[in-house]
Amino acid sequence: MTLLSTRGLTKQYAGLHAVEDVDFDLPQGQVRALIGPNGAGKTTFVGMLCGRIAPTRGTVIFDGKDISTLPAHKRIALGMAYTFQITSVFANLGVAENVALAARRRLQGAAVQDAVADALAQVGLGDRIDQTAGDLSYGHQRLLEIAMGLVQKPRLLILDEPTQGLAESEVAAFKTLIRALSDTTTILLIEHNMSVVMETADVITVLNFGRVLAEGAPSDIHADAAVQAAYLGTG
Ligand code: ATP
């Protein structure tokens, strides 16, 4: 089953096509990586999926429903969760409170506490539940953000450059986390770190100048001459 698709999705700024005519299909259960050079249109594309950027034209279909004009909060209610390039945790609140805020979009009462504990355990922050969010390391704050997404039991989890700024050991742990999450959640990963992409994605979509340059299994993308020339710089 296709969980998310776009047809002819386009965003034009003045004379520039940030995203142009993108047809995209993400089957349920897949880990999809979206890659491309700086300025390729990844952030703009994801902004249109989430409802933060209005398309110039084209459609976004989620779970068979045209959501092209739905505001962001209604898309979240339908089961989309996303974390941004920049951390969005409330530093002065507790770790658990941050996740509870997200959980209350879906749950009430005692169920919130259980869901918070589950989500924190899933990302490996179970032992940090009583800390203040601002006291966590940067890497742990990024995991906290993912917990804030997971607690909403999303059908689609969109992660925008989740490993940016992480130490190597944290990146390794992140790969393991993505593989574990992929058992239950469809994931769209915008990522610059090629080892993360190659080791976690089922399928990679490459954007270049706002258009889809290539799409396929990691080994095929790695061997694709056009991708190498445009992105990997080894062509
Ligand atoms: P990065 O990897 O650097 O985050 P990206 O692939 O996410 O890049 P976008 O940020 O989507 O790329 O940008 C795509 C193109 O659209 C770029 O040329 C950018 O300068 C342009 N662009 C993005 N937002 C705007 C805006 N609000 N107004 C004008 N141009 C924009």
Side-chain angles (χ1 to χ4, degrees), residues 13 16 18 36-45 85 161 192:
Y13 291 111
L16 174 91
N38 289 334
K42 304 177 298 292
T43 302
T44 305
F45 180 71
Q85 257 168 301
E161 302 201 14
H192 277 292

Side-chain angles (χ1 to χ4, degrees), residues 11-14 16-19 35-46 53 85 160-161 164 190 192 207 209-210:
K11 181 65 184 182
Q12 208 171 343
Y13 291 111
L16 174 91
H17 280 93
V19 172
I35 68 171
N38 289 334
K42 304 177 298 292
T43 302
T44 305
F45 180 71
V46 169
I53 296 174
Q85 257 168 301
D160 195 354
E161 302 201 14
Q164 199 179 33
I190 296 90
H192 277 292
L207 280 187
F209 295 115

Side-chain angles (χ1 to χ4, degrees), residues 5-203:
S5 42
T6 70
R7 288 294 174 268
L9 199 62
T10 300
K11 181 65 184 182
Q12 208 171 343
Y13 291 111
L16 174 91
H17 280 93
V19 172
E20 188 171 12
D21 261 331
V22 172
D23 294 345
F24 178 86
D25 289 292
L26 177 55
Q28 192 167 337
Q30 193 174 89
V31 177
R32 175 73 60 95
L34 183 64
I35 68 171
N38 289 334
K42 304 177 298 292
T43 302
T44 305
F45 180 71
V46 169
M48 291 192 283
L49 299 182
C50 298
R52 285 184 289 133
I53 296 174
T56 305
R57 61 177 178 275
T59 50
V60 181
I61 313 284
F62 184 65
D63 200 15
K65 220 174 131 169
D66 187 339
I67 60 162
S68 309
T69 57
L70 273 193
H73 70 272
K74 291 205 173 147
R75 299 185 198 204
I76 293 170
L78 287 177
M80 267 192 193
Y82 41 86
T83 66
F84 301 115
Q85 257 168 301
I86 298 160
T87 58
S88 54
V89 303
F90 297 102
N92 56 331
L93 295 184
V95 166
E97 285 168 278
N98 267 280
V99 184
L101 280 176
R104 287 199 193 93
R105 288 185 165 140
R106 175 175 77 83
L107 300 168
Q108 291 175 326
V112 171
Q113 248 180 327
D114 291 344
V116 167
D118 279 353
L120 285 170
Q122 258 183 300
V123 301
L125 289 180
D127 56 344
R128 307 279 167 165
I129 197 158
D130 295 323
Q131 289 192 0
T132 302
D135 291 341
L136 295 181
S137 68
Y138 176 77
H140 282 163
Q141 289 191 25
R142 303 295 326 235
L143 290 174
L144 175 56
E145 280 189 309
I146 295 175
M148 290 162 71
L150 286 176
V151 80
Q152 298 173 58
K153 292 263 180 279
R155 309 201 45 209
L156 171 64
L157 181 63
I158 301 176
L159 302 171
D160 195 354
E161 302 201 14
T163 67
Q164 199 179 33
L166 296 192
E168 217 165 294
S169 62
E170 293 171 326
V171 171
F174 177 81
K175 290 175 191 168
T176 309
L177 173 63
I178 289 295
R179 283 192 286 262
L181 295 181
S182 70
D183 291 343
T184 52
T185 313
T186 308
I187 296 173
L188 175 60
L189 184 66
I190 296 90
E191 181 59 69
H192 277 292
N193 183 321
M194 291 308 290
S195 84
V196 173
V197 169
M198 292 295 162
E199 290 172 42
T200 63
D202 298 310
V203 174

